[in-house]
Amino acid sequence: MKKILILICIIFLSLSLSFQVQSVEIEIINDKPGTGKKIIRHSWVQLEYTGSFENGKVFDTNVGKDRPLVVQMSMKEVIPGFEQGIIGTTKGTKRKIKIPAELAYGVKGGGDIIPPNTDLIFEFEVIDVLDPSYKSVSSDELIDMIENNAVALDIRTEEEWDKTGVIKGSFPETAFDKNGKFQVYVMDKIRALAAAQSQNVNLIFISHDGETASMLANSFSEDLGFTNVSVLEGGILQWLKESKKLFSHKKDY
């Protein structure tokens, strides 16, 4: 039960922060792209970095200290501007960016080190990249998985199901209320559908565009120990772009 409560807090925080629209962006000063694995949502990334002020004074670095920074993307483990500069790059990338105060420590500053309303400079190198613990699957892969008894949960709202319909073989179960709070009963539904397979069940989450599903998938795989978790890449929007058929959730199909 404790793990479920932690899961609820993590997802609620992630969802609430994901709705905060940023109107400013970082500036890329120098960029030397790498050739390795690309960093995506929820990738684990190992970095060497140096943070400095615009006058060149260094306030933090781990270079030469044999302690690379390891963070998971999209989990608010670093300031927004730093994550914005990292995500989308690849293993081996070396980059220098300028982060506006709004995407750094803002009007409050960072304790006794970062003054309020201060733009920051970060130089970093991507040492290593690990994929998220869950997988992204295509529409065709989802169809095959459902045919092989995978549990596919459409976690959107009833209003969204009414508007578009649902995928044949999926289970419509709204995962979040209107305030973004996780519906605990969904866990009972998953346990019932998984039966003897328990946490080894092949579990797929489906959302509007894939983002909310990825947050849930990450929490299930990282925090609850589910070993076979996937997300429909692009969500129902991608399914519709491919002109694949949907069915009413109010009747058997």
Side-chain angles (χ1 to χ4, degrees):
M1 184 63 184
K2 185 177 179 181
K3 284 187 177 181
I4 295 175
L5 291 174
I6 293 173
L7 167 70
I8 293 170
C9 292
I10 291 172
I11 295 172
F12 182 75
L13 178 61
S14 297
L15 281 173
S16 61
L17 289 173
S18 70
F19 291 127
Q20 296 177 7
V21 178
Q22 300 288 355
S23 58
V24 292
E25 294 184 350
I26 63 166
E27 176 188 345
I28 299 174
I29 300 172
N30 293 316
D31 188 30
K32 183 180 178 182
T35 58
K37 184 175 293 184
K38 185 177 180 179
I39 298 171
I40 60 174
R41 289 176 60 85
H42 299 125
S43 290
W44 287 92
V45 184
Q46 190 179 75
L47 301 160
E48 283 192 344
Y49 71 95
T50 297
S52 61
F53 299 110
E54 290 187 276
N55 63 8
K57 181 180 179 180
V58 174
F59 61 82
D60 190 21
T61 184
N62 68 350
V63 176
K65 297 183 179 180
D66 196 30
R67 53 179 184 89
L69 175 69
V70 178
V71 294
Q72 187 179 24
M73 294 291 95
S74 305
M75 295 301 291
K76 316 302 176 185
E77 294 181 0
V78 294
I79 57 175
F82 196 13
E83 177 163 305
Q84 190 180 111
I86 297 167
I87 203 159
T89 64
T90 55
K91 179 179 178 179
T93 292
K94 295 181 179 181
R95 178 175 276 189
K96 182 177 182 180
I97 60 176
K98 178 180 177 181
I99 302 175
E102 297 93 326
L103 297 179
Y105 295 93
V107 296
K108 293 183 178 180
D112 297 328
I113 299 174
I114 312 296
N117 300 312
T118 302
D119 296 345
L120 303 176
I121 306 295
F122 271 85
E123 296 181 71
F124 65 89
E125 179 178 359
V126 180
I127 306 300
D128 202 5
V129 180
L130 295 177
D131 288 331
S133 298
Y134 64 89
K135 295 182 293 185
S136 293
V137 298
S138 67
S139 300
D140 290 333
E141 287 174 319
L142 174 62
I143 293 170
D144 289 339
M145 293 169 78
I146 290 176
E147 289 177 351
N148 285 283
N149 299 316
V151 174
L153 289 183
D154 187 328
I155 61 172
R156 298 176 300 150
T157 64
E158 185 169 3
E159 182 180 356
E160 289 175 304
W161 301 331
D162 287 339
K163 185 176 180 180
T164 65
V166 299
I167 296 170
K168 183 177 182 180
S170 66
F171 296 92
E173 292 292 337
T174 299
F176 302 95
D177 65 18
K178 293 181 179 179
N179 297 315
K181 184 178 179 182
F182 181 65
Q183 308 273 39
V184 181
Y185 74 84
V186 173
M187 289 296 302
D188 295 328
K189 181 69 173 183
I190 291 172
R191 290 193 185 99
L193 293 169
Q197 296 182 71
S198 186
Q199 287 170 297
N200 294 319
V201 64
N202 207 340
L203 183 63
I204 310 146
F205 291 111
I206 303 165
S207 63
H208 175 65
D209 58 6
E211 288 198 15
T212 304
S214 71
M215 293 177 190
L216 197 57
N218 187 66
S219 293
F220 267 72
S221 57
E222 292 287 346
D223 303 309
L224 297 180
F226 282 73
T227 56
N228 297 303
V229 184
S230 302
V231 171
L232 174 60
E233 189 169 4
I236 290 295
L237 285 181
Q238 181 60 34
W239 187 275
L240 291 170
K241 285 180 183 177
E242 297 173 15
S243 300
K244 285 184 162 49
K245 192 172 182 180
L246 293 168
F247 299 80
S248 171
H249 71 99
K250 295 180 179 179
K251 61 181 180 181
D252 295 333
Y253 37 73

